[in-house]
Amino acid sequence: SIWHLIVVLPCIFLADLVGFEKFEIPHSAQTVAGTVTSALLASSVNAMWLMITIWGTPMVLPCSNALSIPCMVVLDALVHGLRPTPIEMLGHGMVLLSVSLILGFRIGDLFQ
């Protein structure tokens, strides 16, 4: 957004100026492709949030944000082999239960 250009970009240049973080433009094709892919994915996520807000109920967006946490834990388990502790699994299960209660899902609805 414009705020990134107005606020964040000067902070990045200031961090480079004082030597806190070096500012570099990507040179390799792989780095440029990764940056472009990241930007496209971020744009698609923003578009999905807009569609959820327009077409969904007021609770769909907060519930989708809450569901992103257990989804990322599953992704970490599949990609990196990280396994959550039993207490963490209980917490993620409670998130899933709360979202299903808020949105009004019934167990029978999932298997029809």
Side-chain angles (χ1 to χ4, degrees):
S1 71
I2 191 70
W3 293 109
H4 284 94
L5 295 174
I6 294 172
V7 177
V8 176
L9 197 57
C11 290
I12 291 172
F13 290 135
L14 180 64
D16 181 53
L17 183 68
V18 298
F20 183 72
E21 183 74 30
K22 184 164 174 47
F23 180 76
E24 294 180 359
I25 303 293
H27 298 289
S28 71
Q30 183 178 9
T31 307
V32 171
T35 303
V36 169
T37 303
S38 176
L40 290 174
L41 287 173
S43 297
S44 66
V45 167
N46 290 339
M48 287 187 340
W49 279 14
L50 182 61
M51 287 187 283
I52 288 171
T53 303
I54 292 171
W55 295 329
T57 63
M59 288 309 296
V60 174
L61 186 60
C63 287
S64 66
N65 284 336
L67 281 177
S68 69
I69 298 167
C71 290
M72 290 301 110
V73 170
V74 169
L75 188 62
D76 277 343
L78 293 174
V79 174
H80 301 292
L82 300 174
R83 301 285 183 244
T85 64
I87 194 74
E88 291 171 340
M89 290 295 291
L90 178 65
H92 297 305
M94 292 172 70
V95 169
L96 294 173
L97 178 64
S98 65
V99 168
S100 67
L101 290 172
I102 290 169
L103 296 179
F105 291 141
R106 294 187 197 108
I107 297 297
D109 294 340
L110 299 175
F111 299 105
Q112 289 181 357

